[in-house]
Amino acid sequence: DGGITQSPKYLFRKEGQNVTLSCEQNLNHDAMYWYRQDPGQGLRLIYYSQIVNDFQKGDIAEGYSVSREKKESFPLTVTSAQKNPTAFYLCASSMGQGIAHGYTFGSGTRLTVV
Amino acid sequence: ILNVEQSPQSLHVQEGDSTNFTCSFPSSNFYALHWYRWETAKSPEALFVMTLNGDEKKKGRISATLNTKEGYSYLYIKGSQPEDSATYLCAPDSNYQLIWGAGTKLIIKP
């Protein structure tokens, strides 16, 4: 079955370390997105990519980096520059922007800085 | 950036009762309105995508209406069941970006 796989489900990081969250989709979707969720807030966009080898900053990109070398994959690196990285991270994909398509979401990664 | 408000933040409903909640958003630069259901420990799941003023969509016991001129959408659940317990998210699509509300958490009491 097609879908999005995020790994790992839980991740613990020491302060000062970079960590990479994986997001893979087999839906043949062009667009992929990374969101962050904090308690009591809506999902906030970190980065998005409309096509391979291209990506754009979202509302809260500082301290994060991404790559889109393959259509199926959109990994997110949380760098040591991210001041408050403990959060729940969701990856999503859609057929493309500019069309009212729904998003397909992964099951998320909960990152905790210890 | 749009300001999306969902109310109430949480809601307890007796099994079998019907309920509704609201998503409010600025009406300018509107392209579409998305509703999602997010059950605990699962991925958010798309319910509806609505584009036209006056649109009404239905999926089983769940329906939604859209008023783009005044900037709101209602989600209705008829005859609530325990499996309806979830957080319901709305997201207007403006300039091809979804802006997410914080959600309404619905708890169905047996």
Side-chain angles (χ1 to χ4, degrees), chain A residues 11 26 30 51 55 65 82 91 108-109:
Chain A
L11 191 55
N26 60 1
D30 287 317
I51 199 166
F55 49 83
S65 66
Q82 168 48 236
C91 179
T109 293

Side-chain angles (χ1 to χ4, degrees), chain A residues 19-37:
Chain A
V19 65
T20 297
L21 282 57
S22 170
C23 178
E24 304 276 331
Q25 55 101 357
N26 60 1
L27 299 163
N28 200 33
H29 282 173
D30 287 317
M32 295 186 75
Y33 312 84
W34 273 106
Y35 289 96
R36 169 183 171 134
Q37 191 201 30

Side-chain angles (χ1 to χ4, degrees), chain A residues 55 65-70 73-76:
Chain A
F55 49 83
S65 66
V66 293
S67 62
R68 187 87 187 276
E69 296 174 6
K70 298 186 297 182
S73 179
F74 192 40
L76 174 74

Side-chain angles (χ1 to χ4, degrees), chain A residues 30-105:
Chain A
D30 287 317
M32 295 186 75
Y33 312 84
W34 273 106
Y35 289 96
R36 169 183 171 134
Q37 191 201 30
D38 294 285
Q41 295 191 43
L43 300 177
R44 292 186 291 166
L45 183 64
I46 304 172
Y47 268 98
Y48 66 99
S49 167
Q50 298 181 58
I51 199 166
V52 175
N53 292 322
D54 184 58
F55 49 83
Q56 306 294 330
K57 291 182 179 181
D59 302 319
I60 55 166
E62 187 175 346
Y64 299 97
S65 66
V66 293
S67 62
R68 187 87 187 276
E69 296 174 6
K70 298 186 297 182
K71 190 174 187 178
E72 303 80 22
S73 179
F74 192 40
L76 174 74
T77 296
V78 184
T79 75
S80 57
Q82 168 48 236
K83 302 217 184 310
N84 186 21
T86 294
F88 186 72
Y89 292 87
L90 265 179
C91 179
S93 70
S94 70
M95 288 180 66
Q97 289 193 315
I99 305 169
H101 287 299
Y103 286 17
T104 301
F105 283 88

